[in-house]
Every structure is written in structure tokens, then in C-alpha cells.
Amino acid sequence: MTLYGYYRSSASYRVRIALNLKGLDVDQVAVNLAAGAQHEEEFQALNAQRMVPVLETDDGLRLTQSLAICEYLDECYPSTPALLPADAAGRARVRGLANLVASEIHPLNNLRVLKYLVGELELDERDKLDWYRHWVAEGFAAFEALLESKQTGKCCHGDTPTLADICLVPQVYNAKRFDCDLTAYPRLSAIAEHCLTLPAFEQASPSRQPDAC
């Protein structure tokens, strides 16, 4: 398999964690989003959305969207740890937490949105950071409240990493990169810190990737 990604891409980060949890080795191809490589004809042939990640399987199947890729890996490689709980209620809770990050927080703060704010709308750096921090605070406040559950353990759902943790850790990484104040979110911060002690998460971190600057 080949993973097309970018070291600072939250979505690519999620898939790297999932691959590590499943013990799968893949070839990695760096797509430099900051330099606009996603707009090149060669990459557009892989993904018409011009986004990373793309996971290309050995038989030529091309998969896009990080959560879809993670669930594909969970179904095709059902070894422990499972990325989703065995029970329907647990799966719904984990998917809800994962989508809070992937569908609510991240889309408002990804690279192309930030570039549009600065380029097309001519926001200055301070306004851009205010935008970023506002939506992180909105999302993290909700995430923190949802962790007030007996189902929360060392990880978002019990003591084993799931799709929820796969989404949370990259978002916390980016929040710290943009100097977001995380003191109001002790539960999610503790979970992220715990996950980063696990090799699958630590080895997927942006600083460990070949294209890290």
C-alpha cells in the first residue's frame, strides 16, 4: 500500500495512526500542500478533491477521506485493537466523537481555509488566529463535556485507542501549534498525552515524518 499525505495534515496524521495501530507498513509519498502540490495534474489524477490523504492499495484501489480509510482498515484488518467498539451504542459514541473533530472542528481550520482567509478575504495574522482559536474552543468545549461519561477511560472510550482518539490527537497537536489555551479541557488533554505515550501515536507524529521541515 501507498499513503499519499503531508506531515502536517491532520487527516494524514489520523491515517498514519490507524496504520500503526494495525501494524501495517506502507510506502509514503509526500504531497507538499504548502507548495500547492495537491493542484498538480499528477495528484489530481489520484484524487479529484485535491486533498490528502489518499491510500492506494496493492490492487490499485484508491481510498480518500481519513475516516473512511480508517474504517476500511478496521474492516480489512480486524486485528486488535479494533478502532470501533463491538457494541452498536459504543460505535455510535466513538463515531460521534470522531466526527465532532473531523466534521465540525477541522474543516473550519484546515490549510486551504486559512489560506483563503488571509488571501481572498485579506484577514491579518491576528484575525486568522482568532478565527482558528474560536472554532477550536467551540469544538473542544463540546468534546470535553462528552467525555464526562463512565465510558471514558484512559482513552476516549475505555482504555484502548479508538477512532475517537485517532481524531483527537492530531487536533490537539494543531491546537498547540496555534497556541490555543487548553487549560479548560483537562480530560481531552490527558487523553491526548496518554495516547502519545503509545508507539503507534508517537511514531505517527508530524515531527517523525520524512517530509517534516
Side-chain angles (χ1 to χ4, degrees), residues 187-200:
R187 292 180 184 85
L188 69 82
S189 295
I191 288 170
E193 288 179 12
H194 167 71
C195 287
L196 287 171
T197 67
L198 306 176

Side-chain angles (χ1 to χ4, degrees), residues 2-191:
T2 301
L3 176 65
Y4 296 84
Y6 178 58
Y7 79 108
R8 274 187 173 168
S9 159
S10 293
S12 299
Y13 193 171
R14 294 171 201 147
V15 173
R16 292 196 302 265
I17 295 169
L19 288 165
N20 289 346
L21 285 170
K22 293 298 182 179
L24 299 171
D25 292 324
V26 299
D27 295 324
Q28 291 198 47
V29 176
V31 181
N32 190 337
L33 302 187
Q38 70 274 27
H39 300 296
E40 295 176 2
E41 184 176 346
E42 183 178 0
F43 184 74
Q44 288 189 57
L46 290 173
N47 184 5
Q49 288 183 282
R50 297 175 294 180
M51 297 169 65
V52 294
V54 176
L55 183 68
E56 187 170 26
T57 65
D58 292 338
D59 59 2
L61 178 65
R62 292 170 182 166
L63 303 170
T64 61
Q65 294 295 334
S66 62
L67 297 195
I69 294 172
C70 289
E71 291 209 33
Y72 168 86
L73 293 172
D74 206 30
E75 293 172 6
C76 291
Y77 303 93
S79 60
T80 55
L83 304 184
L84 291 167
D87 63 297
R91 290 195 298 275
R93 180 172 184 265
V94 166
R95 285 183 173 127
L97 290 168
N99 277 287
L100 196 163
V101 174
S103 300
E104 302 293 337
I105 304 174
H106 179 229
L108 292 166
N109 292 318
N110 65 21
L111 180 62
R112 63 178 180 167
V113 169
L114 298 181
K115 281 187 170 183
Y116 186 83
L117 291 174
V118 173
E120 299 297 324
L121 300 185
E122 299 182 349
L123 269 64
D124 60 23
E125 186 68 13
R126 185 186 67 180
D127 288 338
K128 182 191 80 172
L129 290 175
D130 284 346
W131 167 280
Y132 189 100
R133 292 165 183 162
H134 170 78
W135 294 114
V136 167
E138 287 272 321
F140 275 6
F143 202 104
E144 183 76 6
L146 291 170
L147 291 177
E148 294 180 14
S149 166
K150 63 181 180 181
Q151 295 171 303
T152 303
K154 293 179 181 179
C155 297
C156 291
H157 192 82
D159 294 331
T160 302
T162 65
L163 189 61
D165 306 282
I166 286 172
C167 288
L168 175 63
V169 169
Q171 193 63 58
V172 170
Y173 167 84
N174 276 334
K176 289 181 176 179
R177 190 163 67 90
F178 284 88
D179 295 322
C180 297
D181 184 0
L182 304 183
T183 56
Y185 323 113
R187 292 180 184 85
L188 69 82
S189 295
I191 288 170

